[in-house]
Amino acid sequence: MKQNFDVKGGPHIGRENLPKLRAEMQQQQLDGFYVPHEDEYQNEYLPEANERLAWTTGFTGSFGAAMILLDRAVLFADGRYTIQAAEQTDNDLFERVPVPDPGPFGWLGAQDLGGKTIGYDAALMTPNDVAALERAASKAGAVIKAVTDNPVALAWSDRPSQPLELIHPHGIEFSGQSSEDKRTEIAAALRESGADSVIITAPASIAWLFNIRGGDVACSPLPLARAIVRDDGSATLFMDPAKESDGLREHLGNQVSLAPISTLPEALADLTGKTVSLDPALASSWFFQALEHAGAAIEREPDPVLLPKA
């Protein structure tokens, strides 16, 4: 699908798209909206369909954020991008604030926004970041609100399609350990902690744990997928069915089932009464909200793949 922003970025992007975004914000009675660079998978490098910050501002760096108010727009970027941010954003539209000091939350906390409502997308932010946003908004006299429909997505009328690159087996001659053995170790850790299952949300962890590789993300062979791993070593891998390559099911084995990524909300809802491990530094706030709504007990623990993968 054709995209309506130049991947090279540029000041014209903000001039074209800020009015569209603000119109959607007003429809949702938002006085501000926080636009992080990260996507639903907390990726640094994004597929074009998830370049929300670039669409909003024209800035195409791999790290940054924006706070869009109805009368102000602020781009946050670190020192690596000082020249690029100046070249790609309109001086008349965007203020530029450094990261990490004060960064988006430090900047927000220093403003006078009494009675204002700042929107955010829970699918794009970890609980840790949502908590930081809430503290900053409270200092500014504002409140935060999780949106049901991201106003960037609504305004982005000809957004590119999500990538559908095939997911391929990664042979044991390269991985050095079978996926079954890796999952057995994860399952043992779950039983020791008292958790029934763990939700794996990070693409790099998915790739390592199941010995698979993909092409959804530039600069790294990552598959965009999710997984639920249980305390018996069985797992469900959630992915778009169009990504299944020849031999993938045989490679994964009988203990791993494939499910459409669209069925993930239903699978989370079925975890009522279960104890589920989830990493608050990697998983989006949306997962925590879904599990809380389902009545699951959440163990806030680091992704169990991180240490053995390292």
Side-chain angles (χ1 to χ4, degrees), residues 28 30 33 117-122 144-149 285 289:
Q28 298 188 40
L30 299 175
F33 187 68
T117 299
I118 308 298
Y120 71 95
D121 188 339
I144 64 172
K145 176 184 176 182
V147 299
T148 302
D149 297 307
S285 185
Q289 293 174 1

Side-chain angles (χ1 to χ4, degrees), residues 16-120:
E16 295 169 2
N17 293 337
L18 271 184
K20 301 175 188 176
L21 174 56
R22 284 173 168 149
E24 294 293 345
M25 290 166 54
Q26 289 179 308
Q27 286 288 326
Q28 298 188 40
Q29 298 182 321
L30 299 175
D31 302 294
F33 187 68
Y34 179 63
V35 184
H37 174 267
E38 294 80 11
D39 65 0
E40 294 88 337
Y41 297 87
Q42 296 300 303
N43 283 321
E44 179 180 3
Y45 298 103
L46 311 178
E48 291 179 3
N50 295 348
E51 289 278 9
R52 297 173 181 87
L53 182 63
W55 181 88
T56 301
T57 66
F59 172 68
T60 61
S62 65
F63 183 80
M67 186 69 70
I68 309 301
L69 306 177
L70 295 178
D71 59 351
R72 297 174 70 182
V74 184
L75 173 69
F76 305 92
D78 65 28
R80 294 173 296 168
Y81 296 114
T82 300
I83 296 175
Q84 181 177 337
E87 291 178 344
Q88 290 186 321
T89 55
D90 190 322
N91 288 329
D92 295 330
L93 297 178
F94 290 94
E95 304 168 43
R96 302 185 195 95
V97 173
V99 173
D101 187 19
F105 305 135
W107 178 90
L108 179 62
Q111 306 307 304
D112 182 7
L113 300 174
K116 303 294 186 182
T117 299
I118 308 298
Y120 71 95

Side-chain angles (χ1 to χ4, degrees), residues 171-288:
I172 195 167
E173 65 270 27
F174 304 113
S175 66
Q177 185 181 16
S178 71
S179 174
E180 181 179 2
D181 287 347
K182 293 176 180 180
R183 286 184 282 106
T184 296
E185 293 178 8
I186 298 300
L190 288 174
R191 293 192 298 272
E192 184 176 349
S193 71
D196 299 296
S197 60
V198 59
I199 301 174
I200 306 297
T201 64
S205 294
I206 295 284
W208 183 88
L209 182 60
F210 293 96
N211 288 343
I212 56 178
R213 297 294 186 267
D216 289 329
V217 181
C219 303
S220 54
L222 298 180
L224 296 186
R226 313 286 199 180
I228 297 177
V229 181
R230 302 171 191 87
D231 63 359
D232 62 357
S234 67
T236 302
L237 181 62
F238 297 88
M239 52 180 271
D240 193 299
K243 296 180 181 181
E244 182 180 345
S245 65
D246 293 340
L248 182 62
R249 287 179 186 267
E250 181 181 0
H251 165 76
L252 292 171
N254 294 331
Q255 275 198 306
V256 179
S257 59
L258 295 180
I261 191 75
S262 60
T263 65
L264 180 58
E266 180 181 346
L268 297 182
D270 288 340
L271 294 174
T272 302
K274 301 293 186 180
T275 300
V276 183
S277 180
L278 194 57
D279 190 336
L282 294 177
S284 72
S285 185
W286 175 85
F287 280 93
F288 290 83

